[in-house]
Amino acid sequence: MYSLLSVFCGINKKKGVFLIRKITMKTIWILVLVVFYNGISLNGVATNVPARPPFVSIGALLSFNSTIGKVAKVAIQAAVDDVNSDPSILGGTKLRITMSADKSGFLGIIEALKFMETDTVAIVGPQSSVTAHAISFVANELQIPLLSYSSTDPTLSSPQFPFFVMTARNDLYQMAAIAEIVDYYGWKEVIAIYGDDDYGRNGIAALGDKLAERRCKISFKAPLTPAATREEITDLLVKVASTESRILVVHTFSSWGPVVFSVAQYLGMMGPGYVWITTNWLSTLVETDSPLPAGTLDDIQGVLTLRMYTPDSELKRKFVSRWSTLSSGTTAYGSNPMGLSTYGLYAYDTVWLLAHAINAFFDQGGNVSFSNDSRLAALRGGSLHLDALNIFNGGNLLRQNILQVNMTGVTGKVKFNPDGNLIHPAYDIINVIGNGIRRIGYWSNYSGLSVVPPETLYSRPPNRSSSSQKLHGVIWPGQTAQKPRGWVYPENGRHLRIAVPSRVSYCEFVSQVPGTDKFAGYCIDVFTAAINLLPYAVPYKLIPYGDGVTNPSCTELVRLITAGVYDAAIGDIAIITNRTKMVDFTQPYIESGLVVVAPVKKRNSSAWAFLQPFTGQMWAVTALFFIIVGAVVWILEHRLNDDFRGPPRRQLITILWFSFSTWFFAHRENTISTLGRFVLFIWLFVVLIINSSYTASLTSILTVQQIFSPIKGIESIISSKDPIGYQQGSFARDYLVNELGIHESRLVSLKMPEDYAKALKDGPHRGGVAAVVDERAYIELFLSTRCEFSIVGQQFTKNGWGFAFPRDSPLAVDLSTAILKLSENGDLQRIHDKWLMRSACSLQGTKLEVDRLDLKSFWGLYLMCGIACLFALFINVLQMVRQFSQYNSLELASSGRSSTPAHLQTFLSFADEKEQEVKSRSKRRRLEMASNRNETMDSYSSKRQDIESPPDESPHASNDA
């Protein structure tokens, strides 16, 4: 500070000191502030913050006669006036705007280059995305930011164009909204009608990507030239009408968009069954040119359109209230006053956005200066005068400030995300009804479809679940509230090419009628019955697949559907995993799955059939527990119950009789002890279960004819080395090799049912097979006339047969519904009985050898019984030990025997005695001991009295004394 003042006053250090002493501190600060405010260096050099210029030139490119341009012109001028009237925005600097017409094609590029010849720091526009693509390369070179409120081509936001700033919603989000609407209503295919330029093509490409994310697609693209005539539009819509999809997305301009709907109305394409969805050009037209002519309104009834969402705010309401004044003298259609569209709101905010960025640019020391482009110097002197184009030196700094703006405008929060797009993209979803429009919901990139404003959802966690996606009801074209199906087979459409396997075996399922192009069989009848239930006609042609000599591979047939050779396939096509990855199947119309069939023999009942219900191990354990339980009950009852006492031989017989008689619940001995009754209760429960199981199994053995086979199921053939048969062309071969690990050398291909029978009869040792693996549907038909074979083991796969269609085919869904109806009304069973019911050999009353009851099925019962026995014995021993210590302690003491063998011998004798006798004897012994104790005490008392009394004296002496 001291040196600064010294230089400024032009005095030496000594004089400076003297001067500082004279000048007050207040005067010093005033001088310093004046110096820095005016940007004056005391050394004669400019400071880091240059003086702001009085004006800053900006340009605007817009189509004055377009729907968007008319509104944008008024909004931009209003924004410039508002900024210039507020000195706090630019600190006294004014915006000077020059507007130029955004002409189409080459002329639009020329207009943009004219701006860049002047000292223009930024351009609001261009309005057209096609022009924006061209001049963005020039803007990159000259570093002049372009801020467009209407060029919303998704490719413009790429890093390729760093100086292009999209100040409205990117069409990428608009296409995401349309894709979610299509998916919300369950449609899978749409038709895209669009302008054949960069804007139209790039927008539809984004739509295709968003649809693909939801397993939907654009089935037909219908491009129109930007200058399409009514005749060209008519020819195109005639082609569209011949396609299957009835969901049409129109992405074009408001200039010829209404002509599309006029032609569609003329062709009858605005009636029931059609769905029309437009991008926001239609909502812009309705808002700007309202009210539309009656004819135009009639043409767009039931159409869904989008509109960039702007939240309600005080700023927006004030601007809307000013609009009639701002737009006075400007008309839209005819003499109608011009309405305010969302593009007008975004154009207004674009100028404010630029003003805030320029203010930040000046605050950071930015200077409006231009320099020659050295790469254009070589063109100096040419007739094009390209050397007049100058580089804006502060362009990069201004661009950075534009992307860092954070303000609130009439469109809501204005802030850019790292991708260069505005935050919180959202759209209104609008339904054109009657004389106006009705909002049926909202779409936002945060929460998807909803019926509440998006800003109310930003404070909640994002929820994109299907249950949270909601829209209000829609009035569709044709004045119907019922959701259109979205597709149809037109009368002039091509026939479906449906492939049918040419089978050489099991022709009951499907076969070609000899000498004709017709097919017959169970599968054909099911398909015909289902197709007749559809509410619309389906033209189709059945085409045989296969050589008629061998059974074709259905997996290869399914692959040909994905390749586009066939439109569908019907027949005995099993629904397996690798096929579902290629096509969509209908609801299964017959249950199936792989089973094992093998030769079986009848087993006749023998004299020892009563032993068959249990295995040997089961018999042994059961008999052992009978003896154990009998012994335990004997131990518990022996000291209390006379029925369990007596000579050893009688007691052994009692144990065996009591235990085995419980099998028939015929035991006559009563149990007295609580523990004995507890054990007997548990044992009788075990016996009841075992007895019931034995009875049921024995009844089955004696009453049902038994058959047996050495093959027990799929486990048996996996563990063996014997050959295995399979049907030619069946997926069973791949399953056995890839899933079960069976070597290919063991597999034998069989074609006809007769080949099955011969191979099974010959067996593995005579060139045949041990078993055949095939689908249950075939095997049941095979076994209907061959009782010497049977299915062994369990079905080891679970699947069914269905009709195959391309992925996401709506016909697959409708046919599935029809098949369910056939099942519910009984027609499916009647078709089954017609083709597959056989009565020559019935398997009823015959069953494979049943598995004998094993210990593993009952070990829980035996464990419970064993624990109960051990518990009762433990309690009983404790009771005896306590009694033994109480009642026999005196006896041991009187006998004088205290050795361990003596104790053990006494305890065993005690355990063998009846408890009542022990108690009586102990009681007598206590009485005897008490009597002896009294006698001893009396004797002791007498002796003591004799000792204590004096010698005998005469009575007289005593008296004398």
Coordinates of all heavy atoms in Angstrom, one line a residue, residues 814-856:
D814 N -51.9 -64.3 -28.2 CA -53.3 -64.6 -28.5 C -53.6 -66.0 -28.6 O -54.7 -66.5 -28.1 CB -53.7 -63.8 -29.7 CG -53.7 -62.3 -29.5 OD1 -53.6 -61.9 -28.4 OD2 -53.9 -61.6 -30.5
L815 N -52.7 -66.8 -29.2 CA -53.0 -68.2 -29.3 C -52.9 -68.9 -28.0 O -53.6 -69.9 -27.7 CB -52.0 -68.8 -30.3 CG -52.4 -68.8 -31.8 CD1 -51.3 -69.5 -32.6 CD2 -53.7 -69.5 -32.0
S816 N -52.0 -68.4 -27.1 CA -51.9 -69.0 -25.7 C -53.3 -68.8 -25.0 O -53.8 -69.8 -24.4 CB -50.8 -68.3 -24.9 OG -49.6 -68.6 -25.5
T817 N -53.9 -67.7 -25.2 CA -55.2 -67.4 -24.6 C -56.2 -68.4 -25.2 O -57.1 -68.9 -24.5 CB -55.6 -66.0 -24.8 OG1 -54.6 -65.1 -24.2 CG2 -57.0 -65.7 -24.1
A818 N -56.2 -68.6 -26.5 CA -57.1 -69.5 -27.1 C -56.9 -70.9 -26.7 O -57.9 -71.7 -26.5 CB -56.9 -69.4 -28.7
I819 N -55.7 -71.4 -26.5 CA -55.4 -72.7 -26.0 C -56.0 -72.9 -24.6 O -56.6 -74.0 -24.2 CB -53.9 -73.0 -26.0 CG1 -53.4 -73.1 -27.5 CG2 -53.6 -74.3 -25.3 CD1 -51.9 -73.2 -27.6
L820 N -55.9 -71.9 -23.7 CA -56.5 -72.0 -22.4 C -58.0 -72.1 -22.5 O -58.6 -72.8 -21.7 CB -56.1 -70.7 -21.6 CG -54.6 -70.6 -21.1 CD1 -54.3 -69.3 -20.5 CD2 -54.2 -71.8 -20.2
K821 N -58.6 -71.4 -23.4 CA -60.0 -71.5 -23.6 C -60.4 -72.9 -24.0 O -61.4 -73.5 -23.6 CB -60.5 -70.5 -24.6 CG -60.5 -69.0 -24.1 CD -61.0 -68.1 -25.2 CE -60.9 -66.6 -24.7 NZ -61.4 -65.7 -25.8
L822 N -59.6 -73.5 -24.9 CA -59.9 -74.9 -25.3 C -59.8 -75.9 -24.2 O -60.6 -76.8 -24.1 CB -58.9 -75.3 -26.4 CG -59.0 -74.6 -27.8 CD1 -57.9 -75.1 -28.7 CD2 -60.3 -75.0 -28.4
S823 N -58.8 -75.6 -23.3 CA -58.7 -76.5 -22.1 C -59.9 -76.3 -21.2 O -60.4 -77.3 -20.6 CB -57.4 -76.1 -21.4 OG -57.2 -76.9 -20.2
E824 N -60.3 -75.1 -21.0 CA -61.4 -74.8 -20.0 C -62.8 -75.4 -20.5 O -63.6 -75.9 -19.8 CB -61.5 -73.3 -19.8 CG -60.3 -72.8 -19.0 CD -60.3 -71.2 -19.0 OE1 -61.3 -70.6 -19.6 OE2 -59.5 -70.6 -18.4
N825 N -63.0 -75.3 -21.8 CA -64.3 -75.8 -22.3 C -64.3 -77.2 -22.7 O -65.3 -77.7 -23.2 CB -64.8 -74.9 -23.5 CG -63.8 -75.0 -24.7 OD1 -63.1 -75.9 -24.9 ND2 -63.8 -73.9 -25.5
G826 N -63.2 -77.9 -22.5 CA -63.2 -79.4 -22.8 C -62.8 -79.8 -24.2 O -62.7 -81.0 -24.4
D827 N -62.7 -78.8 -25.1 CA -62.4 -79.2 -26.5 C -61.0 -79.8 -26.6 O -60.8 -80.7 -27.4 CB -62.4 -77.9 -27.4 CG -63.9 -77.5 -27.6 OD1 -64.8 -78.3 -27.3 OD2 -64.1 -76.3 -28.0
L828 N -60.0 -79.4 -25.8 CA -58.7 -79.9 -25.9 C -58.7 -81.4 -25.5 O -58.0 -82.2 -26.1 CB -57.8 -79.1 -24.9 CG -56.3 -79.3 -25.1 CD1 -55.8 -78.9 -26.5 CD2 -55.5 -78.5 -24.1
Q829 N -59.5 -81.8 -24.5 CA -59.6 -83.2 -24.1 C -60.3 -84.0 -25.2 O -59.9 -85.2 -25.4 CB -60.3 -83.3 -22.8 CG -60.3 -84.7 -22.2 CD -59.0 -85.3 -21.9 OE1 -58.1 -84.6 -21.4 NE2 -58.7 -86.5 -22.3
R830 N -61.3 -83.4 -25.8 CA -62.0 -84.2 -26.9 C -61.1 -84.4 -28.1 O -61.1 -85.5 -28.7 CB -63.2 -83.4 -27.3 CG -64.4 -83.5 -26.3 CD -65.6 -82.9 -26.8 NE -65.6 -81.5 -26.8 CZ -66.0 -80.7 -25.7 NH1 -66.5 -81.4 -24.6 NH2 -66.0 -79.4 -25.7
I831 N -60.2 -83.4 -28.4 CA -59.3 -83.7 -29.5 C -58.3 -84.7 -29.1 O -57.9 -85.6 -29.9 CB -58.6 -82.3 -29.8 CG1 -59.6 -81.3 -30.3 CG2 -57.5 -82.5 -30.9 CD1 -59.0 -79.9 -30.5
H832 N -57.8 -84.7 -27.8 CA -56.9 -85.7 -27.3 C -57.5 -87.1 -27.5 O -56.9 -88.1 -27.9 CB -56.5 -85.4 -25.9 CG -55.6 -86.5 -25.3 ND1 -56.1 -87.6 -24.7 CD2 -54.3 -86.5 -25.2 CE1 -55.1 -88.3 -24.3 NE2 -54.0 -87.7 -24.5
D833 N -58.8 -87.3 -27.0 CA -59.4 -88.6 -27.1 C -59.6 -89.0 -28.5 O -59.6 -90.2 -28.8 CB -60.8 -88.5 -26.4 CG -60.6 -88.2 -24.9 OD1 -59.5 -88.4 -24.4 OD2 -61.6 -87.8 -24.2
K834 N -59.8 -88.1 -29.4 CA -60.1 -88.5 -30.8 C -58.8 -89.1 -31.4 O -59.0 -90.1 -32.2 CB -60.5 -87.2 -31.6 CG -60.5 -87.4 -33.1 CD -60.8 -86.1 -33.8 CE -60.7 -86.3 -35.3 NZ -60.9 -85.0 -36.0
W835 N -57.7 -88.6 -31.1 CA -56.5 -89.1 -31.8 C -55.6 -90.0 -31.0 O -54.9 -90.9 -31.5 CB -55.6 -87.9 -32.2 CG -56.2 -87.1 -33.3 CD1 -56.9 -85.9 -33.2 CD2 -56.1 -87.4 -34.7 NE1 -57.2 -85.5 -34.5 CE2 -56.7 -86.3 -35.4 CE3 -55.5 -88.4 -35.5 CZ2 -56.8 -86.3 -36.8 CZ3 -55.5 -88.3 -36.8 CH2 -56.2 -87.3 -37.5
L836 N -55.6 -89.9 -29.7 CA -54.6 -90.6 -28.9 C -55.2 -91.6 -27.9 O -54.5 -92.3 -27.2 CB -53.8 -89.6 -28.0 CG -53.2 -88.4 -28.8 CD1 -52.4 -87.5 -27.9 CD2 -52.2 -89.0 -29.9
M837 N -56.5 -91.8 -27.9 CA -57.1 -92.8 -27.0 C -57.1 -94.1 -27.6 O -57.5 -94.3 -28.7 CB -58.6 -92.4 -26.7 CG -59.3 -93.3 -25.7 SD -58.5 -93.3 -24.1 CE -59.0 -91.7 -23.5
R838 N -56.5 -95.1 -26.9 CA -56.5 -96.5 -27.4 C -57.0 -97.4 -26.3 O -56.8 -97.1 -25.1 CB -55.0 -96.9 -27.7 CG -54.4 -96.1 -28.9 CD -55.1 -96.5 -30.2 NE -54.5 -95.9 -31.3 CZ -54.8 -94.7 -31.8 NH1 -55.8 -94.0 -31.2 NH2 -54.2 -94.2 -32.8
S839 N -57.6 -98.5 -26.6 CA -58.2 -99.4 -25.6 C -57.8 -100.9 -25.8 O -58.2 -101.7 -25.1 CB -59.7 -99.4 -25.7 OG -60.2 -99.7 -27.0
A840 N -56.9 -101.2 -26.7 CA -56.5 -102.5 -26.9 C -55.7 -103.1 -25.7 O -55.9 -104.3 -25.4 CB -55.6 -102.6 -28.2
C841 N -54.9 -102.3 -25.1 CA -54.2 -102.8 -23.9 C -54.2 -101.7 -22.9 O -53.9 -100.5 -23.2 CB -52.7 -103.0 -24.3 SG -51.7 -103.5 -22.9
S842 N -54.8 -102.0 -21.7 CA -54.9 -101.0 -20.7 C -53.9 -101.4 -19.6 O -53.7 -102.5 -19.2 CB -56.3 -101.0 -20.1 OG -56.4 -100.2 -19.0
L843 N -53.2 -100.4 -19.1 CA -52.3 -100.5 -18.0 C -53.0 -100.4 -16.6 O -52.3 -100.4 -15.6 CB -51.2 -99.5 -18.1 CG -50.3 -99.7 -19.4 CD1 -49.2 -98.6 -19.4 CD2 -49.6 -101.0 -19.4
Q844 N -54.3 -100.2 -16.7 CA -55.0 -100.0 -15.4 C -54.9 -101.3 -14.6 O -55.1 -102.4 -15.1 CB -56.4 -99.6 -15.7 CG -56.8 -98.5 -14.9 CD -58.2 -98.0 -15.2 OE1 -59.0 -98.7 -15.9 NE2 -58.6 -96.8 -14.7
G845 N -54.7 -101.2 -13.3 CA -54.7 -102.4 -12.5 C -53.4 -103.1 -12.5 O -53.2 -104.1 -11.9
T846 N -52.4 -102.5 -13.2 CA -51.1 -103.1 -13.2 C -50.1 -102.0 -12.8 O -50.2 -100.9 -13.1 CB -50.7 -103.5 -14.7 OG1 -51.7 -104.4 -15.1 CG2 -49.3 -104.2 -14.7
K847 N -49.1 -102.5 -12.0 CA -48.1 -101.5 -11.5 C -46.8 -102.2 -11.4 O -46.7 -103.4 -11.3 CB -48.5 -100.9 -10.2 CG -48.6 -101.9 -9.1 CD -49.1 -101.2 -7.8 CE -48.2 -100.1 -7.3 NZ -48.6 -99.6 -6.0
L848 N -45.8 -101.4 -11.5 CA -44.4 -101.9 -11.3 C -44.2 -102.4 -9.9 O -45.0 -102.1 -9.0 CB -43.4 -100.9 -11.6 CG -43.1 -100.6 -13.1 CD1 -42.3 -99.4 -13.2 CD2 -42.5 -101.8 -13.8
E849 N -43.3 -103.3 -9.8 CA -42.9 -103.9 -8.4 C -42.7 -102.7 -7.5 O -41.9 -101.8 -7.7 CB -41.7 -104.7 -8.6 CG -41.2 -105.3 -7.2 CD -39.9 -106.1 -7.4 OE1 -39.3 -105.9 -8.4 OE2 -39.6 -106.8 -6.5
V850 N -43.5 -102.8 -6.4 CA -43.4 -101.7 -5.4 C -42.2 -101.9 -4.6 O -41.7 -103.0 -4.3 CB -44.7 -101.7 -4.5 CG1 -45.9 -101.2 -5.3 CG2 -44.9 -103.0 -3.9
D851 N -41.6 -100.8 -4.1 CA -40.5 -100.9 -3.3 C -40.9 -101.4 -1.9 O -41.9 -100.9 -1.3 CB -39.8 -99.5 -3.1 CG -39.2 -99.0 -4.4 OD1 -38.8 -99.9 -5.2 OD2 -39.1 -97.8 -4.6
R852 N -40.1 -102.3 -1.3 CA -40.4 -102.9 0.0 C -40.1 -101.8 1.1 O -39.3 -101.0 0.9 CB -39.6 -104.1 0.2 CG -39.9 -105.2 -0.8 CD -38.9 -106.4 -0.7 NE -39.2 -107.2 0.5 CZ -38.5 -108.2 0.9 NH1 -37.4 -108.5 0.2 NH2 -38.8 -108.9 1.9
L853 N -40.9 -101.9 2.1 CA -40.8 -100.9 3.2 C -39.4 -101.1 3.9 O -39.1 -102.2 4.4 CB -41.9 -101.0 4.2 CG -43.3 -100.7 3.6 CD1 -44.4 -101.0 4.7 CD2 -43.4 -99.3 3.1
D854 N -38.6 -100.1 3.9 CA -37.3 -100.2 4.5 C -37.2 -99.4 5.8 O -38.1 -98.7 6.2 CB -36.3 -99.5 3.5 CG -34.9 -100.1 3.7 OD1 -34.5 -100.2 4.9 OD2 -34.2 -100.3 2.7
L855 N -36.1 -99.7 6.5 CA -35.9 -99.1 7.9 C -35.8 -97.6 7.8 O -36.2 -96.9 8.7 CB -34.7 -99.7 8.5 CG -34.3 -99.2 9.9 CD1 -35.4 -99.5 10.9 CD2 -32.9 -99.7 10.3
K856 N -35.4 -97.1 6.7 CA -35.2 -95.6 6.6 C -36.5 -94.9 6.7 O -36.5 -93.7 7.0 CB -34.5 -95.3 5.2 CG -35.3 -95.6 4.0 CD -34.5 -95.3 2.7 CE -35.3 -95.6 1.5 NZ -34.6 -95.3 0.2

